[in-house]
Amino acid sequence: MQIRTVGVVGAGTMGNGIAQVLATHGLEVWLADVSETALTRGLEAIRNSLERLIRKGALPEDARHATLGRIHPTTVLAALAPCQLVVEAATENADIKQGIFKALDDVLPAEAILATNTSSISLTRIAAWSRRPERVIGMHFMNPVPVMQLVEVIRALQTDDATHAAVTGLAEALGKTPVTVRDGAGFVSNRVLMPMINEAAFVLYENLATAEDIDTVMKLGMNHPIGPLALADLIGLDTCLSIMDILYTEFRDSKYRACPLLVQMVQAGRLGRKSGQGFYRY
Ligand code: NAD
């Protein structure tokens, strides 16, 4: 299936990046969010990102106008009716996602694919919410989407081969490298990454070193391009906490318990870059 028309649900950190990459590659994009403010902020983030890429020479000057012209913002999910594929990138909360999947089932044609950018919720569980479980799949983009090469493709137990082929084909057409993994909480990326971020938060909580020093150890000692605490701020501390909670619930193993400092930061509204303060100030 040649995919030309895509919906993105959620215009936050990930949704606006996904919409931008789809539109710069010539696809028509319907970008939906419940919040007008989130849509305005999402479009502003896309404009800024395009400016940066044009300044760096990574995109031609005329890409700005053409890309923005292909993105259609909406607060009405029914506007996604013409889409052949929807990438759900709303808040990492199972109840919210279930509501969106139920609504999309009613709005989209039967053959449309439902992809989700979830970081950790079981794809098999999500597919079971839908009346088209064989056309549900994980399309896990990395942050920042316009820059990062990987798309982790997660097959639910129910996903069929045609859906898998369409989604890996689309990821390649976007210039990304898809890696397919089987379903399991956190998949591969966050099963490995989040416990490391959580442990860095514990090290800070136990006062063993400053945030800067923890990040410097991992950057200079392990050759990581960004330290775990700065990365947590980039991802969003609420998202990190949700992922740890899902790993903990799914595996019932205390090694996945969230660091109390991470919990407190979220309670205090210190969510990282998106709120202006996390482990660092922005
Ligand atoms: P975010 O908080 O930045 O944005 C979420 C957006 O979803 C908000 O704009 C919110 O208004 C919107 N939303 C909430 N309920 C909605 C609904 N019912 N319908 C439409 N929109 C709704 O979150 P994010 O960081 O962009 O994460 C989105 C998804 O991507 C999550 O599943 C997350 O786990 C995943 N993810 C995040 C990262 C990351 O680094 N932040 C990386 C990979 C995957």
Side-chain angles (χ1 to χ4, degrees):
M1 183 190 356
Q2 167 81 333
I3 295 171
R4 307 289 324 146
T5 313
V6 180
V8 178
V9 180
T13 311
M14 295 304 289
N16 70 61
I18 296 167
Q20 177 186 329
V21 169
L22 290 163
T24 48
H25 286 81
L27 287 100
E28 289 296 321
V29 181
W30 272 261
L31 177 59
D33 202 292
V34 275
S35 146
E36 282 280 1
T37 317
L39 276 175
T40 308
R41 256 199 248 129
L43 289 171
E44 192 53 36
I46 294 172
R47 256 182 235 111
N48 292 338
S49 170
L50 289 171
E51 283 312 326
R52 273 195 303 277
L53 291 168
I54 291 167
R55 259 202 317 273
K56 278 203 293 190
L59 278 180
E61 185 66 37
D62 57 2
R64 181 192 302 110
H65 186 68
T67 301
L68 291 170
R70 281 191 284 268
I71 300 176
H72 315 290
T74 179
T75 52
V76 183
L77 218 51
L80 272 52
C83 296
Q84 298 162 285
L85 176 144
V86 171
V87 184
E88 174 278 314
T91 312
E92 186 75 347
N93 172 299
D95 292 337
I96 292 178
K97 289 190 190 295
Q98 183 169 12
I100 293 170
F101 268 73
K102 291 236 172 285
L104 287 175
D105 249 345
D106 294 336
V107 163
L108 294 173
E111 62 282 5
I113 294 173
L114 286 177
T116 170
N117 192 51
T118 179
S119 304
S120 56
I121 303 172
S122 156
L123 249 298
T124 303
R125 180 179 172 205
I126 295 179
W129 294 336
S130 171
R131 292 197 299 272
R132 62 188 90 195
E134 67 286 356
R135 279 191 284 285
V136 173
I137 192 161
M139 201 175 185
H140 187 205
F141 289 86
M142 303 292 133
N143 183 11
V145 184
V147 176
M148 299 297 280
Q149 189 62 35
L150 177 71
V151 177
E152 194 177 29
V153 175
I154 305 105
R155 286 188 79 139
L157 203 60
Q158 305 95 319
T159 309
D160 66 19
D161 290 341
T163 300
H164 176 249
V167 162
T168 50
L170 175 63
E172 280 162 2
L174 298 177
K176 306 290 187 196
T177 304
V179 173
T180 301
V181 307
R182 290 213 195 91
D183 187 24
F187 321 127
V188 171
S189 53
N190 282 316
R191 173 91 176 264
V192 177
L193 172 67
M194 274 311 147
M196 184 191 71
I197 286 179
N198 194 49
E199 207 56 36
F202 267 114
V203 170
L204 183 66
Y205 182 59
E206 291 166 16
N207 245 324
L208 303 187
T210 62
E212 288 82 357
D213 283 348
I214 294 165
D215 278 352
T216 302
V217 166
M218 298 307 285
K219 282 193 291 184
L220 302 188
M222 319 301 158
N223 229 2
H224 290 196
I226 182 171
L229 298 174
L231 180 56
D233 279 357
L234 182 73
I235 293 168
L237 301 192
D238 52 340
T239 302
C240 293
L241 178 59
S242 300
I243 297 169
M244 285 311 297
D245 285 345
I246 285 165
L247 291 173
Y248 183 67
T249 311
E250 293 280 328
F251 292 113
R252 295 160 201 220
D253 185 333
S254 64
K255 77 176 175 183
Y256 297 114
R257 76 207 180 285
C259 171
L261 177 60
L262 186 61
V263 177
Q264 284 176 345
M265 304 269 289
V266 173
Q267 285 168 343
R270 296 184 186 169
L271 306 183
R273 281 177 186 267
K274 64 181 163 190
S275 73
Q277 188 178 355
F279 292 113
Y280 298 91
R281 280 180 188 277
Y282 300 91

